[in-house]
Amino acid sequence: MSAKIPEETIDQIRNASDIVEVISNYLTLTKKGKNYFGLCPFHPEKTPSFSVSPEKQIFHCFGCGKGGNVFTFLMEHEKLSFIEAVRMLAQKAGIPLSYEQKDAAQFQEREALFETARFAARFFYYNLTATKTGQVGLDYFQQRQVTKDIIKKFGLGFALNLWDGLLKSAQKRTIKAELLEKCGLIIPRKDGAGFYDRFRNRVIFPVFNATGRVVAFGGRRLADDNTPKYINSPETPIYQKREILYGLGQTRQMIQAENRVVMVEGYMDLISLFQAGIQNVVATAGTALTPEHARLIARYTRNIVLLYDGDAAGANAALRGLDVLLENDLDVNVVQLPAEHDPDSYVKTAGVAAMQELIQSAKPLVEFKLLMLAETQDLTSAAGKAEAVRSILNSVIKIKDEIKQNITIRELAERFFLDERLLLRELDQLKRRLRSTSKPSVQTAEKTPATTGSPKAAQPKMKVHPAELAITRLLVRNSALHHFIFLNLDFEKIRQPVLREIVEIIYLFYQERKKFDPAKLISYFDNPKVAAFITGALNESFEFQTEQNLAVDCIVALEKRDILETRTQLELELREREKNKADTTSIIKKIQELTQLIQMIEQKKFIKYPKKT
Ligand SMILES: [Zn+2]
């Protein structure tokens, strides 16, 4: 959602929402000294390390490092976008939100589409549960052993065996055909004369987004005709299938509670597992796993169990999914179902206990890939082994966490009686090959003003110079040093875009002689990672003298960096020229000048300040 809310309004809402009061709605806080403490809702713990500061209007967990202001808390805890969190608190505080006109129009259109989808979902549900013609749909679900409760919980429905069932019903309610079309519910006739229903004579699975609103539909055919077994809504302004996981709206609490999710492919797989009591489950429903799916699920848990069909297609889908999830730093295990089964059929024939057991014993990467490879390759021959090892390394390389990567390498070495170092070397080579074939990845400096709603921007990732990081943390935690640092630091020297933005915003406080307000700083970034970085820095404290010395070290290091880089460049050129026996006098002179400059910077005198009391 890209609706824009003016900065003043965001400030007003933040100021009207006391963080202690808001967080108290979710957990018990006890006052200790200036701050409040409670059990962290973001990681399991027995003694409270989650602190809330009424003075700074921020929270910070000393256990898991999460932190932020009142908006961040709602974003993280309720899994809301920044805009949704702002809207929720605005409503509580009775502050009206005004949008800019273009955004208001877009917002209204989205709202109209949500309403249209809701209307359709109700229509389908009514057909299934309250009409005679819907009995065929009900029969289908009965035959699949789906209970009434589940039908209600997932809002299952039935699309009549008519070309205009939904269309006519919508017209009665003066819902425009244009909206139904935009929602993907009707299709224009080829001759241009009107529309017809997309879903006909099918049982319907409405798809909800993470905030519980209907955004799309999946329909399974009932007739044994040659239409596709399943059809899904096309992409619409409210439905991007790369970003939606089926069932998440109903299952997210269970996923969080168990700190694990079972991922299946089909609507019926999810519903059968859910009904059997395995409720920490989501389905990709009609699309392959995407990086967006991985990031979405990572909001709830990092432990994934892939449970796909037992046939070759399922195994291949699992292999692809495995790589996507590993690349996004998730822990993945894979269940191998008997070849003739899908999760729905297995839980019904073998029972929930057997299914639970399979999930518990899901295989990690190495074992699963070996099982797959064993079916196509002779793992007893040297060539077969080598092939298998390489294939597994191709997945291992996608594991982001180096420790986990090493553990997996050790497993692999043990499994094949190989020297671990040999595998590490092989992995290194693979990495180098990948680097040389992939384009240099330039991270674009994405600006994130406070008023955008997307949580995806502003990731403080890329090679960051330690001095950039240190001086930014210093600025956040120690406002007594703002004057000193801003007198001596050239902002241009901070290259990481998010850190640079943090520094610039702190400078605004300094320049306008306003008291530094960390909660306000946090709301410039609608990004929980940046928020945690800021509250983390706020909770560090060192001796003033140490801090000032650190500031000097950082400023010197950053000033030297550009020059050092140029000098290295010149030294390479020099070597090149020497090789070619070309003239080197001017280049040597330049290098000497730069060396002098570096010495000057190192000896630069800073006017230091005594600690203000
Ligand atoms: Zn925590």
Side-chain angles (χ1 to χ4, degrees):
M1 184 158 311
S2 67
K4 279 209 178 99
I5 305 172
E7 196 190 313
E8 309 84 74
T9 315
I10 290 178
D11 278 352
Q12 198 190 351
I13 295 162
R14 199 167 42 76
N15 291 332
S17 317
D18 179 52
I19 193 163
V20 178
E21 200 184 306
V22 171
I23 294 183
S24 294
N25 288 326
Y26 298 91
L27 46 129
T28 316
L29 293 174
T30 327
K31 196 164 185 208
K32 257 193 228 154
K34 274 202 282 185
N35 295 337
Y36 289 79
F37 283 84
L39 291 173
C40 178
F42 304 115
H43 85 278
E45 63 174 7
K46 295 216 171 73
T47 48
S49 49
F50 180 87
S51 74
V52 185
S53 159
E55 178 202 6
K56 292 181 185 145
Q57 287 291 308
I58 57 164
F59 72 94
H60 181 77
C61 173
F62 293 94
C64 65
K66 283 230 156 80
N69 62 14
V70 67
F71 300 132
T72 330
F73 181 83
L74 290 175
M75 286 163 73
E76 292 269 287
H77 198 270
E78 294 281 284
K79 306 298 165 196
L80 303 176
S81 70
F82 179 69
I83 293 290
E84 285 161 347
V86 170
R87 191 181 299 140
M88 185 171 160
L89 289 176
Q91 233 163 30
K92 272 201 188 133
I95 296 168
L97 291 181
S98 49
Y99 293 99
E100 284 173 16
Q101 213 151 37
K102 178 173 159 261
D103 291 317
Q106 209 177 56
F107 176 75
Q108 268 161 16
E109 190 201 67
R110 286 172 60 90
E111 284 301 313
L113 290 175
F114 280 128
E115 276 308 306
T116 308
R118 197 164 82 113
F119 155 76
R122 288 186 159 187
F123 175 72
F124 294 138
Y125 179 75
Y126 175 82
N127 291 342
L128 181 74
T129 54
T131 68
K132 262 209 175 109
T133 41
Q135 189 58 43
V136 278
L138 223 42
D139 289 346
Y140 171 82
F141 282 125
Q142 246 150 33
Q143 175 214 326
R144 303 292 295 258
Q145 300 162 30
V146 179
T147 63
K148 288 242 162 72
D149 283 350
I150 292 290
I151 289 177
K152 198 171 169 197
K153 177 139 190 122
F154 287 88
L156 306 180
F158 175 66
L160 304 172
N161 192 11
L162 294 171
W163 288 95
D164 56 1
L166 179 71
L167 194 58
K168 273 210 173 124
S169 171
Q171 274 162 353
K172 268 186 227 151
R173 272 154 224 256
T174 66
I175 294 172
K176 283 187 196 129
E178 187 202 343
L179 272 174
L180 291 169
E181 192 196 0
K182 256 202 175 145
C183 222
L185 288 160
I186 56 171
I187 300 168
R189 288 186 186 278
K190 282 212 177 74
D191 59 13
F195 299 87
Y196 63 93
D197 286 5
R198 179 183 297 273
F199 298 98
R200 301 175 310 280
N201 199 23
R202 284 172 184 268
V203 288
I204 297 288
F205 301 85
V207 179
F208 298 81
N209 66 11
T211 53
R213 303 178 94 172
V214 180
V215 291
F217 301 90
R220 190 203 187 281
R221 75 164 182 230
L222 288 184
D224 223 355
D225 51 22
N226 49 13
T227 56
K229 192 164 157 195
Y230 277 95
I231 57 175
N232 296 298
S233 295
E235 300 228 314
T236 68
I238 56 170
Y239 175 56
Q240 276 84 48
K241 57 183 172 190
R242 306 182 57 80
E243 296 173 1
I244 299 267
L245 286 166
Y246 178 67
L248 187 60
Q250 286 91 346
T251 63
R252 60 194 184 115
Q253 265 121 9
M254 275 70 86
I255 293 167
Q256 260 177 315
E258 305 230 354
N259 190 20
R260 181 161 69 168
V261 65
V262 178
M263 280 190 154
V264 295
E265 285 188 293
Y267 300 106
M268 274 312 297
D269 294 332
L270 181 133
I271 283 178
S272 293
L273 288 183
F274 190 93
Q275 190 170 291
I278 300 172
Q279 304 196 327
N280 53 329
V281 54
V282 292
T284 45
T287 53
L289 255 175
T290 65
E292 288 85 350
H293 287 144
R295 283 195 285 274
L296 175 63
I297 204 68
R299 292 187 191 174
Y300 303 92
T301 181
R302 309 201 78 85
N303 302 312
I304 321 282
V305 176
L306 286 180
L307 174 55
Y308 286 5
D309 292 359
D311 58 7
N316 281 328
L319 280 175
R320 277 194 307 274
L322 189 73
D323 283 353
V324 172
L325 296 168
L326 289 176
E327 276 168 14
N328 284 280
D329 203 13
L330 296 164
D331 280 323
V332 201
N333 289 302
V334 188
V335 174
Q336 255 245 288
L337 280 180
E340 68 279 14
H341 276 295
D342 57 40
D344 172 40
S345 68
Y346 190 79
V347 76
K348 280 188 184 128
T349 52
V352 65
M355 183 55 113
Q356 290 279 25
E357 211 163 289
L358 271 188
I359 292 172
Q360 289 302 340
S361 59
K363 306 264 183 303
L365 163 74
V366 173
E367 273 183 71
F368 175 69
K369 267 211 148 175
L370 273 178
L371 277 175
M372 293 292 95
L373 292 166
E375 282 175 19
T376 54
Q377 273 162 41
D378 172 19
L379 292 185
T380 53
S381 75
K385 262 192 219 171
E387 193 54 39
V389 168
R390 287 221 174 85
S391 161
I392 292 171
L393 282 177
N394 270 317
S395 288
V396 173
I397 205 170
K398 299 200 164 96
I399 300 176
K400 283 264 170 71
D401 186 322
E402 242 175 89
I403 298 170
K404 279 187 220 152
Q405 206 175 48
N406 282 337
I407 293 171
T408 314
I409 289 280
R410 198 170 311 146
E411 280 172 14
L412 187 59
E414 277 166 16
R415 180 70 179 66
F416 282 95
F417 305 107
L418 291 167
D419 186 351
E420 213 177 303
R421 279 167 303 180
L422 178 85
L423 292 180
L424 285 171
R425 224 176 304 140
E426 185 80 29
L427 191 70
D428 257 0
Q429 263 172 19
L430 259 177
K431 276 185 189 163
R432 234 168 291 141
R433 219 170 306 149
L434 268 182
R435 238 175 278 145
S436 61
T437 50
S438 64
K439 284 175 230 137
S441 61
V442 179
Q443 193 134 357
T444 46
E446 214 168 337
K447 277 262 176 183
T448 34
T451 43
T452 59
S454 87
K456 61 175 179 281
Q459 304 271 346
K461 260 185 199 162
M462 82 194 277
K463 276 240 157 159
V464 184
H465 195 283
E468 290 188 1
L469 212 54
I471 198 135
T472 312
R473 298 178 83 99
L474 198 52
L475 280 168
V476 170
R477 69 171 169 252
N478 198 334
S479 45
L481 274 170
H482 285 178
H483 185 62
F484 174 75
I485 293 173
F486 288 130
L487 267 184
N488 292 294
L489 175 75
D490 174 4
F491 294 171
E492 296 288 323
K493 300 275 185 267
I494 292 179
R495 297 184 194 161
Q496 206 289 333
V498 179
L499 295 180
R500 169 85 165 267
E501 209 175 339
I502 293 175
V503 172
E504 284 175 350
I505 294 167
I506 296 176
Y507 179 68
L508 285 181
F509 282 104
Y510 164 78
Q511 198 190 25
E512 290 168 11
R513 292 168 206 282
K514 280 187 193 148
K515 188 170 175 284
F516 173 54
D517 177 357
K520 185 170 160 82
L521 172 64
I522 288 165
S523 71
Y524 280 94
F525 303 87
D526 54 14
N527 184 327
K529 278 193 186 148
V530 179
F533 170 82
I534 293 168
T535 63
L538 276 167
N539 282 291
E540 299 162 334
S541 78
F542 302 95
E543 287 269 297
F544 183 78
Q545 209 47 56
T546 322
E547 293 275 84
Q548 197 168 43
N549 292 340
L550 177 63
V552 170
D553 290 346
C554 289
I555 292 165
V556 168
L558 289 174
E559 277 186 24
K560 268 162 56 180
R561 174 167 58 163
D562 294 345
I563 305 166
L564 284 170
E565 281 172 359
T566 322
R567 195 175 67 175
T568 312
Q569 222 28 64
L570 287 173
E571 279 164 353
L572 286 175
E573 219 180 302
L574 176 65
R575 233 164 288 155
E576 202 51 36
R577 286 193 183 199
E578 279 169 348
K579 235 196 275 167
N580 302 330
K581 310 232 169 350
D583 176 36
T584 55
T585 39
S586 72
I587 207 160
I588 288 176
K589 194 167 164 249
K590 263 192 228 158
I591 290 176
Q592 282 167 345
E593 280 171 11
L594 290 180
T595 307
Q596 271 178 358
L597 196 56
I598 290 168
Q599 282 164 356
M600 274 168 62
I601 294 171
E602 280 168 351
Q603 287 154 13
K604 185 168 160 185
K605 290 270 179 288
F606 288 87
I607 306 162
K608 295 191 185 176
Y609 293 86
K611 181 176 171 45
K612 273 189 238 158
T613 43

